[in-house]
């Protein structure tokens, strides 16, 4: 049996995926989590063969968790599941060690087959994304610029961001200013929106 871990913050979606994958003759869902910061612990306990991770998760993103799994549970293959398939996110997923990147609205048969392919060591990428990816440029934002932008999403002030990231306020302003310049926008709100549309955040 292929042992599967599911990480999805919406309970209904997680339950549906678990039910559908559990109906496959060769699969067993051995762990389900709703937060990104629970993924590694669940993987170490349940020892899944394949982890299906959403990107947008509370606590820690699925992309960050994928990178953690590469170190903590190297035998676990990671497939990223997302609502929005963007080339920038595909690139980040591959850099984090994922072997697959799929959009959630595909049929469950394709998802089950993707799990099998991942276990065989194959790379599985949504066809439309695979076609778009070569034209996508690399992410111009540094890790610190991404962190600073992400920390402003809920309207946090520069002081809030500085405290959260353990940086000085001038350093945070520099990172935000640089990110705004690189995204070709006028302010933090527009920079966050542009970075998300490109899959850089």
């Amino acid at each position: 049996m292929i042992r599967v871990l599911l990480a999805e913050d919406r309970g209904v979606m997680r339950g549906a995926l678990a039910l559908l994958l559990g109906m496959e003759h060769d699969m067993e869902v051995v762990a389900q989590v709703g937060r990104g910061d629970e993924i590694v612990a669940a993987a170490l306990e349940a020892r899944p063969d394949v982890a299906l991770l959403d990107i947008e998760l509370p606590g820690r993103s699925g992309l960050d968790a994928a990178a953690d799994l590469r170190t903590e549970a190297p035998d676990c293959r990671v497939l990223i599941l997302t609502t929005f398939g963007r080339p920038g996110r595909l690139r980040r997923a591959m850099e984090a060690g994922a072997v697959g990147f799929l959009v959630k609205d595909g049929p469950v048969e394709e998802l089950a087959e993707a799990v099998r392919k991942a276990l065989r060591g194959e790379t599985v990428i949504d066809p439309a994304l695979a076609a778009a990816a070569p034209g996508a440029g690399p992410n111009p934002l540094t890790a610190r610029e991404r962190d600073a932008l992400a920390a402003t999403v809920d309207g946090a002030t520069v002081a809030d961001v500085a405290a959260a990231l353990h940086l000085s306020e001038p350093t945070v302003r520099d990172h935000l200013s640089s990110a705004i310049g690189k995204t070709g926008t006028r302010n933090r709100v527009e920079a966050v929106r542009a970075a998300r549309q490109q899959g850089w955040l």
Side-chain angles (χ1 to χ4, degrees):
M1 294 291 277
I2 302 172
R3 298 168 61 81
V4 179
L5 177 149
L6 280 177
E8 161 65 54
D9 61 329
R10 288 176 296 169
V12 172
M13 171 71 83
R14 186 171 66 246
L17 284 171
L19 182 66
L20 291 167
L21 289 173
M23 293 169 68
E24 296 292 317
H25 70 281
D26 57 348
M27 289 181 199
E28 177 186 7
V29 176
V30 294
Q32 298 180 47
V33 297
R35 296 179 55 86
D37 50 12
E38 296 173 347
I39 291 171
V40 172
L44 292 175
E45 183 178 337
R47 295 292 174 186
D49 300 306
V50 177
L52 294 174
L53 311 182
D54 188 12
I55 291 181
E56 302 287 343
L57 292 167
R60 192 159 177 74
S61 82
L63 295 175
D64 291 334
D68 294 341
L69 286 176
R70 182 168 53 181
T71 304
E72 300 287 332
D75 293 335
C76 179
R77 306 278 182 173
V78 175
L79 287 173
I80 297 293
L81 280 178
T82 183
T83 306
F84 305 106
R86 298 188 179 118
R89 284 190 165 177
L90 168 60
R91 185 185 298 271
R92 285 178 60 204
M94 297 298 114
E95 288 170 355
V99 298
F101 193 94
L102 303 164
V103 290
K104 289 180 186 174
D105 59 4
V108 73
E109 295 82 12
E110 287 183 13
L111 178 58
E113 190 53 34
V115 169
R116 295 182 187 103
K117 286 180 177 178
L119 193 61
R120 293 196 297 263
E122 298 178 37
T123 299
V124 190
I125 298 172
D126 180 82
L129 265 180
N139 185 346
L141 302 177
T142 66
R144 276 303 192 189
E145 288 164 359
R146 286 199 306 267
D147 290 344
L149 269 186
T152 67
V153 167
D154 294 324
T157 64
V158 168
D160 295 334
V161 174
L165 299 181
H166 308 291
L167 298 171
S168 69
E169 291 185 32
T171 299
V172 169
R173 284 194 188 92
D174 286 346
H175 288 322
L176 291 173
S177 176
S178 179
I180 290 166
K182 287 178 180 179
T183 54
T185 54
R186 295 172 297 178
N187 55 49
R188 282 181 263 170
V189 174
E190 288 183 8
V192 167
R193 187 180 306 125
R196 280 184 160 170
Q197 285 172 348
Q198 291 294 328
W200 296 338
L201 196 61

